Amino acid sequence: MIEYPSAPDTPRSHLPFSPATKVGELIFVSGQASVDATGKIVSDSFEGEMRRSIENLRKVLEDAGSDLAHVVRTCNYVRDDADLALYNRIYPEYFQAPFPARTTITNCLGAALRYEIDCIAVAKNSKA
């Protein structure tokens, strides 16, 4: 069975996709960016946008029955490769060793965003 978990205050986009899709114990979270609860982009420094994006990811995961500790893979989009050192300093504040599998793509976002993250996680009650 496929589920689309969310709560009224789940950050969501005006674009045609669900914040998360759950299949069994797996949770697939769509790209989370620096947006408010209405989906409006909140421009900030790279650090501010990265932190807001990961906090949005945390909220979507909680609404789906998981958390950052149950993330098995992240895909990260960093607009400017000059921000990679800061990205690598902030990332371990949210994801601890042993770290999830990770992909990082640079020079890939338009001018409106500095950072975006998506992930695959397992439900907290998973036996996986």
Side-chain angles (χ1 to χ4, degrees):
M1 173 163 32
I2 301 173
E3 300 174 62
Y4 302 93
S6 69
D9 60 343
T10 299
R12 56 181 73 252
S13 173
H14 300 289
L15 299 173
F17 63 86
S18 297
T21 303
K22 186 174 181 181
V23 180
E25 299 300 318
L26 290 176
I27 302 163
F28 301 86
V29 179
S30 295
Q32 298 299 305
S34 180
V35 299
D36 64 18
T38 68
K40 181 180 177 204
I41 293 173
V42 179
S43 296
D44 201 344
S45 65
F46 175 82
E47 180 174 355
E49 289 195 21
M50 182 174 177
R51 291 185 185 283
R52 187 172 293 102
S53 299
I54 296 175
E55 289 303 325
N56 286 343
L57 181 75
R58 181 192 315 265
K59 173 67 174 121
V60 172
L61 286 167
E62 288 173 0
D63 293 345
S66 192
D67 57 26
L68 294 176
H70 288 81
V71 170
V72 297
R73 180 189 178 279
T74 66
C75 192
N76 300 265
Y77 307 89
V78 177
R79 184 178 73 192
D80 301 314
D81 58 1
D83 291 319
L84 285 173
L86 181 55
Y87 158 73
N88 282 309
R89 280 196 305 272
I90 295 170
Y91 190 88
E93 293 179 30
Y94 294 95
F95 302 99
Q96 282 75 49
F99 297 101
R102 180 178 97 166
T103 299
T104 304
I105 302 167
T106 61
N107 302 311
C108 56
L109 297 171
L113 297 174
R114 296 174 188 274
Y115 177 81
E116 186 172 340
I117 183 171
D118 65 56
C119 79
I120 300 171
V122 295
K124 282 199 257 188
N125 62 357
S126 173
K127 292 180 177 46

